[in-house]
Amino acid sequence: QVQLVESGGGLVQAGGSLRLSCVVSGRTFSAYAMGWFRQAPGKAREFIAAISWSGTNTYYADSVKGRFTISRHNAKNTVYLQMNSLKPEDTALYYCAAAGGGSYHLGLGYDYWGQGTQVTVSS
């Protein structure tokens, strides 16, 4: 089994920054592409970013492109989401997920999920 634990969420003012972390255990981290998703109250889960196994390729939803950066450190079994220029509409529960293959860059094929970390952006 693969376990994912997110951290780094919190309350921040609009225009501020946060960095989310997700530590993965249980299997070889480098065997998985990784993604970040979010879900706001009353809304569907949204795919926001993905990174390839090696970290060479990254993908972003239009809603966060230019503001968020996904990265990974395979030796630390950790994936990060640097979030800058935060907006109130970024408020959501943020999840990391691991994909063994498939169309991970489209937000598909994710087999394992964390419990989420709350991000709240005040105006």
Side-chain angles (χ1 to χ4, degrees):
Q1 273 289 17
V2 177
Q3 293 82 42
L4 295 81
V5 179
E6 304 96 336
S7 63
L11 174 64
V12 64
Q13 289 188 332
S17 299
L18 284 174
R19 188 176 82 154
L20 306 184
S21 300
C22 173
V23 178
V24 181
S25 60
R27 291 280 179 88
T28 303
F29 178 62
S30 59
Y32 296 95
M34 299 297 298
W36 285 96
F37 296 74
R38 67 185 180 187
Q39 187 166 21
K43 295 189 176 181
R45 187 173 62 198
E46 178 188 13
F47 163 71
I48 56 174
I51 188 166
S52 62
W53 295 262
S54 64
T56 301
N57 299 311
T58 57
Y59 307 88
Y60 299 93
D62 288 343
S63 58
V64 305
K65 197 173 295 181
R67 299 187 299 122
F68 291 11
T69 302
I70 188 171
S71 62
R72 66 189 294 163
H73 194 309
N74 284 353
K76 294 184 177 181
N77 289 2
T78 304
V79 61
Y80 304 97
L81 186 68
Q82 177 67 43
M83 306 186 295
N84 298 329
S85 302
L86 283 161
K87 306 174 182 180
E89 51 264 44
D90 293 318
T91 295
L93 189 61
Y94 282 70
Y95 299 90
C96 68
S103 302
Y104 72 92
H105 59 293
L106 300 176
L108 303 173
Y110 288 84
D111 303 308
Y112 303 100
W113 296 80
Q115 293 299 306
T117 185
Q118 179 68 38
V119 171
T120 303
V121 184
S122 63
S123 57

